[in-house]
Amino acid sequence: MYAIVEIAGQQFKVSKDLKVYVNRLTNEEGSKVSFDKVLLLDDNGTITLGAPAIEGASVEAKVLQHLKGDKVIVFKKKRRKGYKKRNGHRQYLTQIVIEGITGVGAKKAAPKKEAVEATTEEVEAPKKKVAKAKKEDTKE
């Protein structure tokens, strides 16, 4: 089972127990995060597409750590002009691990209502009314 989910403005293909580096999130390390913008959901060959997102589907994740990415060198040059600029940049990232993918039909557990047992009189009473109505229709 995998899903394509939008996290911090970028789309990621995720599955259970996958570690992903995303743009810095505001959550604390060790906290749980839920992403509701699931764009595609594949459940053993059954593909569900969202328009644009699937309602009721979510991806649960846990924040492992906040870190900085590798240095990216930005070098600008204009030939024959003597113009050279060198700059560096390190992106702030968050490492998360995907703990689970919840599909459309699976909802969070709601408090269950107690089932009320119907007596035989309550079940047979509507049948008697219908039978009387049919007899009256045939007489007329």
Side-chain angles (χ1 to χ4, degrees):
M1 175 181 230
Y2 72 90
I4 295 178
V5 63
E6 186 172 321
I7 302 171
Q10 295 180 328
Q11 296 177 6
F12 295 93
K13 179 181 176 182
V14 297
S15 59
K16 191 172 179 354
D17 298 329
L18 183 72
K19 291 182 181 177
V20 182
Y21 291 101
V22 298
N23 284 334
R24 182 68 60 103
L25 300 175
T26 57
N27 302 72
E28 298 289 325
E29 290 185 9
S31 65
K32 307 269 185 194
V33 182
S34 178
F35 303 107
D36 295 332
K37 198 156 188 183
V38 179
L39 306 175
L40 181 137
L41 188 64
D42 182 10
D43 188 11
N44 299 327
T46 306
I47 296 176
T48 307
L49 282 174
I54 301 171
E55 291 189 28
S58 66
V59 174
E60 306 298 325
K62 180 180 178 183
V63 176
L64 294 180
Q65 63 177 337
H66 298 294
L67 57 128
K68 290 172 79 173
D70 295 334
K71 182 174 259 193
V72 177
I73 303 296
V74 179
F75 184 74
K76 298 179 181 179
K77 179 184 177 184
K78 294 186 180 177
R79 62 183 190 161
R80 298 188 301 268
K81 306 295 183 211
Y83 175 81
K84 294 180 185 177
K85 293 286 181 188
R86 183 177 181 271
N87 202 350
H89 174 73
R90 291 186 70 185
Q91 186 70 31
Y92 291 103
L93 301 173
T94 299
Q95 184 182 21
I96 60 173
V97 62
I98 306 300
E99 292 186 334
I101 300 172
T102 306
V104 179
K107 294 184 179 178
K108 293 183 179 178
K112 296 181 181 178
K113 296 180 181 177
E114 294 181 17
V116 178
E117 294 183 20
T119 62
T120 56
E121 294 173 3
E122 293 173 351
V123 174
E124 293 177 1
K127 292 180 184 177
K128 290 179 182 177
K129 289 180 184 177
V130 171
K132 284 182 182 179
K134 286 184 180 178
K135 286 182 185 178
E136 291 176 3
D137 289 339
T138 56
K139 288 179 184 179
E140 294 177 358

